[in-house]
Amino acid sequence: MSSRRSRQQSSSTRISDDQIIDLVSKLRQLVPEIRDRRSDKVSASKVLQETCNYIRSLHREVDDLSERLSQLLATIDADSPEAAIIRSLIN
């Protein structure tokens, strides 16, 4: 019974091949490392791998910018309008 339930759930949430192709195509356009390549011959697995790498890179950049804003905040008057802006950016 559980096996039948699993099949029913998986068939209702299954993504079609056309949808996967469309999503991979959208990722190709969003990820600079792929978008800027001259060749359109990039496998779906490579697109997913580069997308993961790009997301990790963006996370590191956000962390770095947050750290820099925190350091800047420590150097200015806590009650200044600039401090309020920096706090809003960090949160």
Side-chain angles (χ1 to χ4, degrees):
M1 183 100 101
S2 140
S3 170
R4 185 184 327 163
R5 208 176 300 145
S6 296
R7 275 187 259 131
Q8 287 174 345
Q9 287 176 346
S10 67
S11 67
S12 67
T13 60
R14 186 169 245 179
I15 298 175
S16 72
D17 288 348
D18 288 341
Q19 289 172 313
I20 292 172
I21 290 168
D22 183 50
L23 292 170
V24 169
S25 176
K26 288 177 182 178
L27 286 174
R28 277 190 180 114
Q29 296 168 15
L30 292 173
V31 179
E33 289 80 8
I34 299 169
R35 184 186 60 222
D36 298 341
R37 288 187 184 163
R38 295 174 193 245
S39 172
D40 290 337
K41 304 279 183 180
V42 179
S43 69
S45 64
K46 184 69 173 173
V47 170
L48 293 174
Q49 184 179 30
E50 290 294 330
T51 300
C52 290
N53 291 341
Y54 183 57
I55 291 170
R56 283 188 204 100
S57 167
L58 291 174
H59 277 284
R60 284 191 300 270
E61 190 172 340
V62 166
D63 290 344
D64 180 54
L65 290 172
S66 293
E67 178 64 28
R68 290 170 59 191
L69 284 171
S70 293
Q71 290 171 355
L72 180 61
L73 185 59
T75 66
I76 61 174
D77 178 22
D79 296 326
S80 70
E82 293 84 3
I85 292 170
I86 293 171
R87 278 193 297 277
S88 72
L89 292 172
I90 293 173
N91 298 325

